[in-house]
Amino acid sequence: MAERCEYEPERHPEGDIDPRIAAFYEELTRHFPDHPPYSDDLPWSSTPLTLGIDHVVMYMRTGEVSDPVIPLVKSLAREHHLVIYDGHGDDVHPPAQ
């Protein structure tokens, strides 16, 4: 899915956004907006976040500025039963049971 989204955008599935994805995105961006006005401590290195029917792509800045968003992403993913894929390490984190 990650490769398809990044390397073959024409194959990106169309349809209604999964309600879990929509809720995750809304809660996440309520705490860390991806549209102006931005604060100086914005964790995103690219905005707006990429929202698909089955995923949210987040590019984070390096350093301490991103530290607060990581626990929130993990918590929201657990709450909404979503998988986290970290493309840097090619790591997959399924939701906790």
Side-chain angles (χ1 to χ4, degrees), residues 72-93:
L72 180 61
V73 167
K74 289 178 178 179
S75 173
L76 291 174
R78 250 189 330 270
E79 178 181 334
H80 296 288
H81 307 285
L82 300 173
V83 172
I84 297 173
Y85 171 69
D86 179 355
H88 266 300
D90 202 31
D91 297 323
V92 177
H93 305 273

Side-chain angles (χ1 to χ4, degrees), residues 50-91:
T50 303
L51 185 61
I53 67 168
D54 56 0
H55 65 274
V56 177
V57 177
M58 298 164 273
Y59 293 102
M60 296 182 200
R61 293 171 47 195
T62 58
E64 293 178 7
V65 71
S66 292
D67 288 351
V69 77
I70 294 169
L72 180 61
V73 167
K74 289 178 178 179
S75 173
L76 291 174
R78 250 189 330 270
E79 178 181 334
H80 296 288
H81 307 285
L82 300 173
V83 172
I84 297 173
Y85 171 69
D86 179 355
H88 266 300
D90 202 31
D91 297 323

Side-chain angles (χ1 to χ4, degrees), residues 2-39:
E3 286 179 7
R4 179 194 66 223
C5 183
E6 185 171 350
Y7 301 115
E8 301 177 63
E10 68 279 356
R11 289 188 50 220
H12 202 267
E14 295 185 23
D16 295 330
I17 294 176
D18 183 310
R20 299 170 304 151
I21 298 293
F24 173 89
Y25 173 78
E26 288 176 19
E27 291 181 52
L28 179 65
T29 56
R30 189 175 324 127
H31 295 278
F32 297 97
D34 66 339
H35 287 83
Y38 299 123
S39 65

